[in-house]
């Protein structure tokens, strides 16, 4: 391989690909169309090889492993800390769907606090949401809130339940 080196995972391949395109893109002084085409060809070959390797490994591992099934206490703690930082806000509805926190209601007055806590606004759903950094969206499908609730379950957290959350 001329451009890629020591790539073992698809994530490493994608990261190197982005960096190479930044460096060798025809719009850059050091870039050229030929270099970009060569990078794309190498990327395609490596992607196929790594994807096949990953699929064979998954079949051998029976598509699950102990580490995949372990409960992640660190993520749970992060979710609890985020809930604690907004639970005192008034006139909002807090809903936990899977490992996401959705906030609706009269949120305009609290938008600065929500942004500071890492929430983002979903304009199509007209709600604020938070999820841990470990989450990565896998598909391109857009889900409605009803779909999200049916897939992951939903629990509404009432803002007057501060004492119960602190005890947990």
């Amino acid at each position: 391989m001329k451009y890629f080196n020591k790539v073992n995972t698809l994530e490493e391949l994608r990261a190197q690909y982005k960096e190479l395109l930044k460096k060798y893109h025809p719009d850059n002084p050091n870039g050229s169309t030929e270099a970009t085409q060569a990078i794309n060809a190498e990327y395609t070959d490596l992607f196929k090889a790594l994807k096949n390797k990953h699929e064979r490994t998954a079949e051998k591992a029976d598509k699950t492993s102990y580490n995949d099934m372990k409960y992640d206490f660190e993520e749970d703690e992060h979710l609890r800390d985020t809930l604690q930082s907004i639970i005192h806000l008034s006139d909002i509805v807090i809903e936990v769907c899977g490992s996401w926190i959705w906030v609706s209601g009269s949120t305009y007055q609290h938008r600065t606090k929500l942004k500071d806590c890492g929430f983002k606004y979903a304009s199509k759903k007209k709600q604020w949401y938070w999820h841990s950094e470990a989450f990565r969206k896998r598909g391109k499908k857009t889900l409605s809130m009803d779909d999200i609730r049916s897939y992951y379950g939903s629990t509404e957290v009432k803002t007057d339940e501060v004492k119960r959350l602190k005890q947990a």
Side-chain angles (χ1 to χ4, degrees), residues 10 48-60:
L10 290 172
K48 287 178 185 176
L50 288 171
K51 184 177 176 191
N52 290 338
K53 177 183 170 185
H54 175 71
E55 287 172 355
R56 284 191 306 272
T57 304
E59 287 171 4
K60 286 181 184 176

Side-chain angles (χ1 to χ4, degrees), residues 5 9 75 80 82 90 96 101 106-108 136 142 145:
N5 56 357
T9 64
E75 289 301 318
R80 285 179 179 273
T82 304
S90 61
V96 178
I101 302 172
S106 299
T107 59
Y108 185 77
R136 292 188 92 172
T142 303
M145 280 307 295

Side-chain angles (χ1 to χ4, degrees), residues 2 7 12 25-26 30-31 51 58-59 114 121 126 140 152 159 162 164-165:
K2 183 177 178 184
V7 178
E12 291 174 2
H25 193 273
N30 297 335
K51 184 177 176 191
E59 287 171 4
L114 291 168
Y121 189 71
K126 306 285 189 233
K140 295 180 180 179
Y152 303 106
T159 55
V162 175
R164 186 168 63 156
L165 279 175

Side-chain angles (χ1 to χ4, degrees), residues 13 16 24 29 48 54 63 66 70 74 83 89 97 114 126:
L13 177 65
Q16 282 190 28
Y24 292 107
K48 287 178 185 176
H54 175 71
K63 298 189 180 177
Y66 176 72
K70 281 194 320 189
E74 189 173 311
L83 273 173
L89 301 177
C97 297
L114 291 168
K126 306 285 189 233

Side-chain angles (χ1 to χ4, degrees), residues 5-22:
N5 56 357
K6 296 182 182 177
V7 178
N8 295 319
T9 64
L10 290 172
E11 288 79 18
E12 291 174 2
L13 177 65
R14 289 183 183 113
Q16 282 190 28
Y17 179 71
K18 287 179 183 180
E19 291 302 315
L20 288 168
L21 283 184
K22 287 178 189 176

Side-chain angles (χ1 to χ4, degrees), residues 129-153:
Y129 67 93
W130 175 92
H131 62 82
S132 69
E133 296 299 321
F135 175 80
R136 292 188 92 172
K137 185 175 180 182
R138 303 263 187 248
K140 295 180 180 179
K141 185 177 179 182
T142 303
L143 299 175
S144 69
M145 280 307 295
D146 289 334
D147 291 337
I148 292 169
R149 287 179 186 113
S150 67
Y151 283 138
Y152 303 106

Side-chain angles (χ1 to χ4, degrees), residues 115-129:
K115 286 179 189 177
D116 291 344
C117 293
F119 282 81
K120 295 178 183 161
Y121 189 71
S123 58
K124 290 182 181 177
K125 293 177 178 59
K126 306 285 189 233
Q127 294 188 32
W128 291 85
Y129 67 93

